[in-house]
Amino acid sequence: MAISSDNKFLFEVRRCEPELVVPAKPTPYEFKQLSDIDDQESFRFHVPLLFFYAGNPSMEGSDPVKVIKKAISETLVFYYPFAGRLREGPGRKLFVECTAEGILFIEADADVALHQFGDALQPPYAFLDEVLYNVPNSDGIINSPLLLIQVTRLRCGGFIFAIRLNHTMSDAFGLMQFMNATSEIAGGAFAPSVLPVWQRALLNARDPPRVTCRHLEYDQVVDTKSTIIPLKDMVHRSVFFGPTEISTLRKTLPIHLRHCSSFDLITACLWRTRTIALQPDPNDEMRLLCIVNLRCKTSYLPVGYYGNAFAFPAAVATAGKLCHNPLGYAVELIRKAKAEMTEEYIKSVADLMVIKGRPNLTAVRSYAVSDVRKTEMEKLDYGWGKALFGGPAMGGVATVPGLTSFYMHFKNKNGEQGTVVPFSLPAPAMERFVVQLDALFKTKP
């Protein structure tokens, strides 16, 4: 069982002054409303992503900073809302003023080579602030740049591409659509192969709004036991699930569940083990929020739609039942929750947002998981080849950072392809988590 250690790998970065990259050609000045899924409280935060690239002899003489900056400027002609600024209207409704002010861009250099990173290529990243500098006053939700990008050259000829997204604008699929467009234009294309589609009204509340589904993920639970821990007091690790770990977990399940997906397996394992490690009262309700993308469920949205298009159907169980039942119990709860995600479900969420004033997700005794493997972030290529690793740098949902874990493709140092999952827990719980998980994979089914 490979669990990352507390990697403190740090290095110095020399940064140029941040600049604004604007669209390469004039773009329309207009106002574009976000959907009622986009502007919910749970998405009002910035999410950081990192991509690591090795040097490529065929690109000698090419500067990744110049290549990427030029490609972004040209791509913003098509994705011009990203160059604008968010404003807030009545009822906390968000909309983009397409001002063409541009996105923030930072050119940087680091006197370090990729081989020195070792296991630090996978999250969590002690050096995140160095390779993705938080420009002062740039991280507001409204009236701030919607994207921040830093490209850091490494002495080996490789580079780190870091991006920070205002989550209200796009989900992982939408962001990757934009980034794939930049890579195509960097490669010589005159336009993206998939043209962007706004049409956010498709995921607006109905008139009149009507909540037709049960949304356990938005239950307002009072934190009477101080279960929400500040991010600074958390320990951050990541766990690698390779073919051996997946096979071991699958063998613990009854025959009728053994064909379940790797997502169901990993999620059940983490939710159950995490609950054991947290040692809650056996009668406490634990929530598992399954982030399910509508694009993967239906063809309701047009190709090119780059807004948020997912919901958080919740699996709920008491801590006692979750801890004392076998893994298959959690798998069945997760599969049932995922099956709830339909067009009707996400429309019901949009209606709930309008009726209840855009409430936040339930944070008390909750854990959210998001599988971004299907976005294939690691395939993003600016001419230097595919990324050695690409994905979110940390978890977070609005006011509760660390609540979410992302599932990402990762090749470990033995060349084994698998899934890496970063997560956060209070220090004593993290120690128990590591022990529990280690015992799970050493015990024969």
Side-chain angles (χ1 to χ4, degrees), residues 74-104:
E74 293 175 7
T75 306
L76 286 173
V77 174
F78 301 92
Y79 286 86
Y80 61 89
F82 274 131
R85 299 292 183 266
L86 279 184
R87 316 297 187 205
E88 190 174 61
R92 303 185 67 228
K93 188 70 196 163
L94 295 179
F95 58 92
V96 185
E97 183 179 359
C98 299
T99 59
E101 288 174 74
I103 69 158
L104 271 175

PDB file of all heavy atoms in Angstrom, residues 74-104:
ATOM      1  N   GLU A  74      -4.530  33.762 -27.989  1.00  0.00           N
ATOM      2  CA  GLU A  74      -5.317  33.419 -29.176  1.00  0.00           C
ATOM      3  C   GLU A  74      -6.562  32.609 -28.816  1.00  0.00           C
ATOM      4  O   GLU A  74      -7.618  32.764 -29.435  1.00  0.00           O
ATOM      5  CB  GLU A  74      -4.437  32.667 -30.178  1.00  0.00           C
ATOM      6  CG  GLU A  74      -3.334  33.556 -30.762  1.00  0.00           C
ATOM      7  CD  GLU A  74      -2.372  32.804 -31.672  1.00  0.00           C
ATOM      8  OE1 GLU A  74      -2.634  31.619 -31.965  1.00  0.00           O
ATOM      9  OE2 GLU A  74      -1.359  33.403 -32.088  1.00  0.00           O
ATOM     10  N   THR A  75      -6.446  31.765 -27.795  1.00  0.00           N
ATOM     11  CA  THR A  75      -7.594  30.959 -27.370  1.00  0.00           C
ATOM     12  C   THR A  75      -8.660  31.824 -26.707  1.00  0.00           C
ATOM     13  O   THR A  75      -9.863  31.548 -26.823  1.00  0.00           O
ATOM     14  CB  THR A  75      -7.144  29.841 -26.399  1.00  0.00           C
ATOM     15  OG1 THR A  75      -6.106  29.087 -27.008  1.00  0.00           O
ATOM     16  CG2 THR A  75      -8.303  28.901 -26.055  1.00  0.00           C
ATOM     17  N   LEU A  76      -8.240  32.884 -26.028  1.00  0.00           N
ATOM     18  CA  LEU A  76      -9.194  33.781 -25.368  1.00  0.00           C
ATOM     19  C   LEU A  76     -10.099  34.514 -26.366  1.00  0.00           C
ATOM     20  O   LEU A  76     -11.146  35.038 -25.981  1.00  0.00           O
ATOM     21  CB  LEU A  76      -8.459  34.798 -24.492  1.00  0.00           C
ATOM     22  CG  LEU A  76      -7.886  34.264 -23.177  1.00  0.00           C
ATOM     23  CD1 LEU A  76      -7.040  35.327 -22.478  1.00  0.00           C
ATOM     24  CD2 LEU A  76      -8.986  33.763 -22.250  1.00  0.00           C
ATOM     25  N   VAL A  77      -9.728  34.530 -27.620  1.00  0.00           N
ATOM     26  CA  VAL A  77     -10.614  35.101 -28.638  1.00  0.00           C
ATOM     27  C   VAL A  77     -11.907  34.282 -28.706  1.00  0.00           C
ATOM     28  O   VAL A  77     -12.998  34.820 -28.898  1.00  0.00           O
ATOM     29  CB  VAL A  77      -9.910  35.129 -30.015  1.00  0.00           C
ATOM     30  CG1 VAL A  77     -10.884  35.579 -31.107  1.00  0.00           C
ATOM     31  CG2 VAL A  77      -8.676  36.040 -29.972  1.00  0.00           C
ATOM     32  N   PHE A  78     -11.772  32.966 -28.530  1.00  0.00           N
ATOM     33  CA  PHE A  78     -12.934  32.070 -28.563  1.00  0.00           C
ATOM     34  C   PHE A  78     -13.587  31.963 -27.182  1.00  0.00           C
ATOM     35  O   PHE A  78     -14.811  31.913 -27.060  1.00  0.00           O
ATOM     36  CB  PHE A  78     -12.502  30.674 -29.043  1.00  0.00           C
ATOM     37  CG  PHE A  78     -11.887  30.678 -30.413  1.00  0.00           C
ATOM     38  CD1 PHE A  78     -10.508  30.815 -30.579  1.00  0.00           C
ATOM     39  CD2 PHE A  78     -12.680  30.579 -31.546  1.00  0.00           C
ATOM     40  CE1 PHE A  78      -9.939  30.833 -31.844  1.00  0.00           C
ATOM     41  CE2 PHE A  78     -12.123  30.595 -32.815  1.00  0.00           C
ATOM     42  CZ  PHE A  78     -10.742  30.723 -32.965  1.00  0.00           C
ATOM     43  N   TYR A  79     -12.760  31.938 -26.144  1.00  0.00           N
ATOM     44  CA  TYR A  79     -13.248  31.797 -24.759  1.00  0.00           C
ATOM     45  C   TYR A  79     -13.167  33.154 -24.049  1.00  0.00           C
ATOM     46  O   TYR A  79     -12.670  33.254 -22.927  1.00  0.00           O
ATOM     47  CB  TYR A  79     -12.401  30.768 -24.011  1.00  0.00           C
ATOM     48  CG  TYR A  79     -12.662  29.330 -24.393  1.00  0.00           C
ATOM     49  CD1 TYR A  79     -12.012  28.744 -25.474  1.00  0.00           C
ATOM     50  CD2 TYR A  79     -13.552  28.541 -23.661  1.00  0.00           C
ATOM     51  CE1 TYR A  79     -12.245  27.424 -25.821  1.00  0.00           C
ATOM     52  CE2 TYR A  79     -13.786  27.213 -23.993  1.00  0.00           C
ATOM     53  CZ  TYR A  79     -13.126  26.665 -25.076  1.00  0.00           C
ATOM     54  OH  TYR A  79     -13.358  25.349 -25.419  1.00  0.00           O
ATOM     55  N   TYR A  80     -13.675  34.196 -24.696  1.00  0.00           N
ATOM     56  CA  TYR A  80     -13.495  35.556 -24.180  1.00  0.00           C
ATOM     57  C   TYR A  80     -14.146  35.817 -22.814  1.00  0.00           C
ATOM     58  O   TYR A  80     -13.679  36.703 -22.087  1.00  0.00           O
ATOM     59  CB  TYR A  80     -13.948  36.597 -25.211  1.00  0.00           C
ATOM     60  CG  TYR A  80     -15.397  36.526 -25.615  1.00  0.00           C
ATOM     61  CD1 TYR A  80     -16.380  37.227 -24.921  1.00  0.00           C
ATOM     62  CD2 TYR A  80     -15.796  35.756 -26.716  1.00  0.00           C
ATOM     63  CE1 TYR A  80     -17.708  37.166 -25.288  1.00  0.00           C
ATOM     64  CE2 TYR A  80     -17.121  35.682 -27.099  1.00  0.00           C
ATOM     65  CZ  TYR A  80     -18.073  36.380 -26.387  1.00  0.00           C
ATOM     66  OH  TYR A  80     -19.390  36.323 -26.745  1.00  0.00           O
ATOM     67  N   PRO A  81     -15.188  35.044 -22.374  1.00  0.00           N
ATOM     68  CA  PRO A  81     -15.679  35.293 -21.010  1.00  0.00           C
ATOM     69  C   PRO A  81     -14.600  35.107 -19.933  1.00  0.00           C
ATOM     70  O   PRO A  81     -14.628  35.782 -18.904  1.00  0.00           O
ATOM     71  CB  PRO A  81     -16.816  34.277 -20.858  1.00  0.00           C
ATOM     72  CG  PRO A  81     -17.337  34.106 -22.249  1.00  0.00           C
ATOM     73  CD  PRO A  81     -16.099  34.132 -23.110  1.00  0.00           C
ATOM     74  N   PHE A  82     -13.622  34.204 -20.182  1.00  0.00           N
ATOM     75  CA  PHE A  82     -12.542  34.005 -19.210  1.00  0.00           C
ATOM     76  C   PHE A  82     -11.704  35.279 -19.024  1.00  0.00           C
ATOM     77  O   PHE A  82     -11.036  35.440 -18.000  1.00  0.00           O
ATOM     78  CB  PHE A  82     -11.620  32.862 -19.639  1.00  0.00           C
ATOM     79  CG  PHE A  82     -12.079  31.497 -19.202  1.00  0.00           C
ATOM     80  CD1 PHE A  82     -12.136  30.449 -20.114  1.00  0.00           C
ATOM     81  CD2 PHE A  82     -12.437  31.245 -17.897  1.00  0.00           C
ATOM     82  CE1 PHE A  82     -12.547  29.183 -19.722  1.00  0.00           C
ATOM     83  CE2 PHE A  82     -12.848  29.978 -17.486  1.00  0.00           C
ATOM     84  CZ  PHE A  82     -12.906  28.953 -18.411  1.00  0.00           C
ATOM     85  N   ALA A  83     -11.708  36.165 -20.016  1.00  0.00           N
ATOM     86  CA  ALA A  83     -10.924  37.400 -19.928  1.00  0.00           C
ATOM     87  C   ALA A  83     -11.700  38.525 -19.248  1.00  0.00           C
ATOM     88  O   ALA A  83     -11.185  39.631 -19.082  1.00  0.00           O
ATOM     89  CB  ALA A  83     -10.491  37.841 -21.328  1.00  0.00           C
ATOM     90  N   GLY A  84     -12.937  38.222 -18.843  1.00  0.00           N
ATOM     91  CA  GLY A  84     -13.772  39.223 -18.184  1.00  0.00           C
ATOM     92  C   GLY A  84     -13.698  39.134 -16.671  1.00  0.00           C
ATOM     93  O   GLY A  84     -12.764  38.559 -16.105  1.00  0.00           O
ATOM     94  N   ARG A  85     -14.711  39.703 -16.015  1.00  0.00           N
ATOM     95  CA  ARG A  85     -14.763  39.698 -14.555  1.00  0.00           C
ATOM     96  C   ARG A  85     -16.186  39.376 -14.104  1.00  0.00           C
ATOM     97  O   ARG A  85     -17.165  39.818 -14.718  1.00  0.00           O
ATOM     98  CB  ARG A  85     -14.360  41.081 -13.991  1.00  0.00           C
ATOM     99  CG  ARG A  85     -12.931  41.508 -14.345  1.00  0.00           C
ATOM    100  CD  ARG A  85     -11.889  40.659 -13.653  1.00  0.00           C
ATOM    101  NE  ARG A  85     -10.526  41.090 -13.932  1.00  0.00           N
ATOM    102  CZ  ARG A  85      -9.751  40.587 -14.895  1.00  0.00           C
ATOM    103  NH1 ARG A  85     -10.232  39.649 -15.704  1.00  0.00           N
ATOM    104  NH2 ARG A  85      -8.511  41.011 -15.049  1.00  0.00           N
ATOM    105  N   LEU A  86     -16.285  38.625 -13.004  1.00  0.00           N
ATOM    106  CA  LEU A  86     -17.596  38.292 -12.455  1.00  0.00           C
ATOM    107  C   LEU A  86     -18.178  39.463 -11.678  1.00  0.00           C
ATOM    108  O   LEU A  86     -17.460  40.162 -10.961  1.00  0.00           O
ATOM    109  CB  LEU A  86     -17.497  37.084 -11.510  1.00  0.00           C
ATOM    110  CG  LEU A  86     -17.475  35.685 -12.126  1.00  0.00           C
ATOM    111  CD1 LEU A  86     -17.478  34.650 -11.012  1.00  0.00           C
ATOM    112  CD2 LEU A  86     -18.633  35.448 -13.068  1.00  0.00           C
ATOM    113  N   ARG A  87     -19.475  39.654 -11.816  1.00  0.00           N
ATOM    114  CA  ARG A  87     -20.229  40.622 -11.018  1.00  0.00           C
ATOM    115  C   ARG A  87     -21.374  39.868 -10.340  1.00  0.00           C
ATOM    116  O   ARG A  87     -21.769  38.788 -10.785  1.00  0.00           O
ATOM    117  CB  ARG A  87     -20.795  41.745 -11.888  1.00  0.00           C
ATOM    118  CG  ARG A  87     -19.836  42.329 -12.922  1.00  0.00           C
ATOM    119  CD  ARG A  87     -18.623  42.998 -12.316  1.00  0.00           C
ATOM    120  NE  ARG A  87     -17.833  43.686 -13.343  1.00  0.00           N
ATOM    121  CZ  ARG A  87     -16.533  43.942 -13.235  1.00  0.00           C
ATOM    122  NH1 ARG A  87     -15.861  43.578 -12.141  1.00  0.00           N
ATOM    123  NH2 ARG A  87     -15.890  44.563 -14.214  1.00  0.00           N
ATOM    124  N   GLU A  88     -21.889  40.451  -9.274  1.00  0.00           N
ATOM    125  CA  GLU A  88     -22.994  39.815  -8.546  1.00  0.00           C
ATOM    126  C   GLU A  88     -24.214  40.724  -8.593  1.00  0.00           C
ATOM    127  O   GLU A  88     -24.146  41.904  -8.259  1.00  0.00           O
ATOM    128  CB  GLU A  88     -22.588  39.534  -7.099  1.00  0.00           C
ATOM    129  CG  GLU A  88     -23.574  38.665  -6.350  1.00  0.00           C
ATOM    130  CD  GLU A  88     -23.068  38.282  -4.964  1.00  0.00           C
ATOM    131  OE1 GLU A  88     -22.841  39.200  -4.151  1.00  0.00           O
ATOM    132  OE2 GLU A  88     -22.881  37.077  -4.714  1.00  0.00           O
ATOM    133  N   GLY A  89     -25.355  40.144  -8.997  1.00  0.00           N
ATOM    134  CA  GLY A  89     -26.591  40.894  -9.087  1.00  0.00           C
ATOM    135  C   GLY A  89     -27.554  40.536  -7.965  1.00  0.00           C
ATOM    136  O   GLY A  89     -27.174  39.895  -6.975  1.00  0.00           O
ATOM    137  N   PRO A  90     -28.820  40.938  -8.093  1.00  0.00           N
ATOM    138  CA  PRO A  90     -29.836  40.617  -7.081  1.00  0.00           C
ATOM    139  C   PRO A  90     -29.947  39.110  -6.860  1.00  0.00           C
ATOM    140  O   PRO A  90     -29.795  38.317  -7.795  1.00  0.00           O
ATOM    141  CB  PRO A  90     -31.129  41.178  -7.699  1.00  0.00           C
ATOM    142  CG  PRO A  90     -30.668  42.235  -8.656  1.00  0.00           C
ATOM    143  CD  PRO A  90     -29.360  41.743  -9.201  1.00  0.00           C
ATOM    144  N   GLY A  91     -30.204  38.723  -5.597  1.00  0.00           N
ATOM    145  CA  GLY A  91     -30.328  37.306  -5.272  1.00  0.00           C
ATOM    146  C   GLY A  91     -29.017  36.563  -5.369  1.00  0.00           C
ATOM    147  O   GLY A  91     -28.996  35.341  -5.535  1.00  0.00           O
ATOM    148  N   ARG A  92     -27.882  37.294  -5.295  1.00  0.00           N
ATOM    149  CA  ARG A  92     -26.535  36.731  -5.384  1.00  0.00           C
ATOM    150  C   ARG A  92     -26.277  36.056  -6.734  1.00  0.00           C
ATOM    151  O   ARG A  92     -25.431  35.174  -6.862  1.00  0.00           O
ATOM    152  CB  ARG A  92     -26.254  35.755  -4.235  1.00  0.00           C
ATOM    153  CG  ARG A  92     -26.435  36.372  -2.861  1.00  0.00           C
ATOM    154  CD  ARG A  92     -26.039  35.425  -1.746  1.00  0.00           C
ATOM    155  NE  ARG A  92     -24.598  35.172  -1.760  1.00  0.00           N
ATOM    156  CZ  ARG A  92     -24.068  33.961  -1.675  1.00  0.00           C
ATOM    157  NH1 ARG A  92     -24.841  32.902  -1.609  1.00  0.00           N
ATOM    158  NH2 ARG A  92     -22.764  33.807  -1.672  1.00  0.00           N
ATOM    159  N   LYS A  93     -27.017  36.468  -7.742  1.00  0.00           N
ATOM    160  CA  LYS A  93     -26.849  35.902  -9.080  1.00  0.00           C
ATOM    161  C   LYS A  93     -25.552  36.407  -9.708  1.00  0.00           C
ATOM    162  O   LYS A  93     -25.287  37.618  -9.724  1.00  0.00           O
ATOM    163  CB  LYS A  93     -28.045  36.298  -9.958  1.00  0.00           C
ATOM    164  CG  LYS A  93     -28.074  35.619 -11.317  1.00  0.00           C
ATOM    165  CD  LYS A  93     -28.374  34.152 -11.165  1.00  0.00           C
ATOM    166  CE  LYS A  93     -28.026  33.387 -12.428  1.00  0.00           C
ATOM    167  NZ  LYS A  93     -27.925  31.946 -12.174  1.00  0.00           N
ATOM    168  N   LEU A  94     -24.730  35.482 -10.218  1.00  0.00           N
ATOM    169  CA  LEU A  94     -23.452  35.848 -10.821  1.00  0.00           C
ATOM    170  C   LEU A  94     -23.576  35.962 -12.340  1.00  0.00           C
ATOM    171  O   LEU A  94     -24.288  35.193 -12.984  1.00  0.00           O
ATOM    172  CB  LEU A  94     -22.384  34.811 -10.482  1.00  0.00           C
ATOM    173  CG  LEU A  94     -21.977  34.674  -9.014  1.00  0.00           C
ATOM    174  CD1 LEU A  94     -20.932  33.582  -8.847  1.00  0.00           C
ATOM    175  CD2 LEU A  94     -21.460  35.990  -8.453  1.00  0.00           C
ATOM    176  N   PHE A  95     -22.844  36.927 -12.887  1.00  0.00           N
ATOM    177  CA  PHE A  95     -22.762  37.062 -14.337  1.00  0.00           C
ATOM    178  C   PHE A  95     -21.376  37.596 -14.699  1.00  0.00           C
ATOM    179  O   PHE A  95     -20.686  38.198 -13.868  1.00  0.00           O
ATOM    180  CB  PHE A  95     -23.864  37.971 -14.883  1.00  0.00           C
ATOM    181  CG  PHE A  95     -23.879  39.355 -14.305  1.00  0.00           C
ATOM    182  CD1 PHE A  95     -23.183  40.384 -14.919  1.00  0.00           C
ATOM    183  CD2 PHE A  95     -24.583  39.639 -13.135  1.00  0.00           C
ATOM    184  CE1 PHE A  95     -23.188  41.669 -14.385  1.00  0.00           C
ATOM    185  CE2 PHE A  95     -24.591  40.915 -12.592  1.00  0.00           C
ATOM    186  CZ  PHE A  95     -23.891  41.938 -13.218  1.00  0.00           C
ATOM    187  N   VAL A  96     -20.958  37.336 -15.930  1.00  0.00           N
ATOM    188  CA  VAL A  96     -19.659  37.804 -16.400  1.00  0.00           C
ATOM    189  C   VAL A  96     -19.839  39.086 -17.191  1.00  0.00           C
ATOM    190  O   VAL A  96     -20.667  39.144 -18.105  1.00  0.00           O
ATOM    191  CB  VAL A  96     -18.978  36.764 -17.315  1.00  0.00           C
ATOM    192  CG1 VAL A  96     -17.573  37.238 -17.690  1.00  0.00           C
ATOM    193  CG2 VAL A  96     -18.916  35.404 -16.653  1.00  0.00           C
ATOM    194  N   GLU A  97     -19.074  40.094 -16.818  1.00  0.00           N
ATOM    195  CA  GLU A  97     -18.957  41.271 -17.673  1.00  0.00           C
ATOM    196  C   GLU A  97     -17.740  41.031 -18.563  1.00  0.00           C
ATOM    197  O   GLU A  97     -16.604  40.941 -18.078  1.00  0.00           O
ATOM    198  CB  GLU A  97     -18.776  42.550 -16.844  1.00  0.00           C
ATOM    199  CG  GLU A  97     -18.720  43.794 -17.717  1.00  0.00           C
ATOM    200  CD  GLU A  97     -18.572  45.087 -16.921  1.00  0.00           C
ATOM    201  OE1 GLU A  97     -18.525  45.024 -15.674  1.00  0.00           O
ATOM    202  OE2 GLU A  97     -18.500  46.150 -17.553  1.00  0.00           O
ATOM    203  N   CYS A  98     -17.979  40.860 -19.855  1.00  0.00           N
ATOM    204  CA  CYS A  98     -16.906  40.505 -20.795  1.00  0.00           C
ATOM    205  C   CYS A  98     -16.112  41.753 -21.158  1.00  0.00           C
ATOM    206  O   CYS A  98     -16.363  42.415 -22.167  1.00  0.00           O
ATOM    207  CB  CYS A  98     -17.490  39.824 -22.024  1.00  0.00           C
ATOM    208  SG  CYS A  98     -18.368  38.284 -21.633  1.00  0.00           S
ATOM    209  N   THR A  99     -15.159  42.075 -20.302  1.00  0.00           N
ATOM    210  CA  THR A  99     -14.398  43.322 -20.394  1.00  0.00           C
ATOM    211  C   THR A  99     -13.098  43.185 -21.184  1.00  0.00           C
ATOM    212  O   THR A  99     -12.452  44.196 -21.478  1.00  0.00           O
ATOM    213  CB  THR A  99     -14.029  43.816 -18.987  1.00  0.00           C
ATOM    214  OG1 THR A  99     -13.251  42.786 -18.347  1.00  0.00           O
ATOM    215  CG2 THR A  99     -15.271  44.107 -18.154  1.00  0.00           C
ATOM    216  N   ALA A 100     -12.689  41.931 -21.462  1.00  0.00           N
ATOM    217  CA  ALA A 100     -11.412  41.664 -22.149  1.00  0.00           C
ATOM    218  C   ALA A 100     -10.206  42.170 -21.350  1.00  0.00           C
ATOM    219  O   ALA A 100      -9.143  42.431 -21.918  1.00  0.00           O
ATOM    220  CB  ALA A 100     -11.407  42.256 -23.558  1.00  0.00           C
ATOM    221  N   GLU A 101     -10.362  42.294 -20.034  1.00  0.00           N
ATOM    222  CA  GLU A 101      -9.230  42.729 -19.193  1.00  0.00           C
ATOM    223  C   GLU A 101      -8.110  41.702 -19.161  1.00  0.00           C
ATOM    224  O   GLU A 101      -6.959  42.028 -18.890  1.00  0.00           O
ATOM    225  CB  GLU A 101      -9.713  43.004 -17.767  1.00  0.00           C
ATOM    226  CG  GLU A 101     -10.552  44.252 -17.630  1.00  0.00           C
ATOM    227  CD  GLU A 101     -11.114  44.395 -16.230  1.00  0.00           C
ATOM    228  OE1 GLU A 101     -10.340  44.749 -15.312  1.00  0.00           O
ATOM    229  OE2 GLU A 101     -12.330  44.153 -16.042  1.00  0.00           O
ATOM    230  N   GLY A 102      -8.467  40.447 -19.383  1.00  0.00           N
ATOM    231  CA  GLY A 102      -7.446  39.412 -19.468  1.00  0.00           C
ATOM    232  C   GLY A 102      -7.315  38.546 -18.235  1.00  0.00           C
ATOM    233  O   GLY A 102      -7.955  38.768 -17.215  1.00  0.00           O
ATOM    234  N   ILE A 103      -6.469  37.533 -18.361  1.00  0.00           N
ATOM    235  CA  ILE A 103      -6.169  36.628 -17.246  1.00  0.00           C
ATOM    236  C   ILE A 103      -4.778  36.949 -16.715  1.00  0.00           C
ATOM    237  O   ILE A 103      -3.944  37.514 -17.430  1.00  0.00           O
ATOM    238  CB  ILE A 103      -6.253  35.153 -17.683  1.00  0.00           C
ATOM    239  CG1 ILE A 103      -5.103  34.810 -18.647  1.00  0.00           C
ATOM    240  CG2 ILE A 103      -7.587  34.835 -18.342  1.00  0.00           C
ATOM    241  CD1 ILE A 103      -4.779  33.359 -18.713  1.00  0.00           C
ATOM    242  N   LEU A 104      -4.517  36.596 -15.473  1.00  0.00           N
ATOM    243  CA  LEU A 104      -3.197  36.837 -14.884  1.00  0.00           C
ATOM    244  C   LEU A 104      -2.209  35.772 -15.347  1.00  0.00           C
ATOM    245  O   LEU A 104      -2.527  34.578 -15.368  1.00  0.00           O
ATOM    246  CB  LEU A 104      -3.288  36.813 -13.360  1.00  0.00           C
ATOM    247  CG  LEU A 104      -3.606  38.136 -12.676  1.00  0.00           C
ATOM    248  CD1 LEU A 104      -3.793  37.914 -11.172  1.00  0.00           C
ATOM    249  CD2 LEU A 104      -2.502  39.168 -12.915  1.00  0.00           C
TER     250      LEU A 104
END
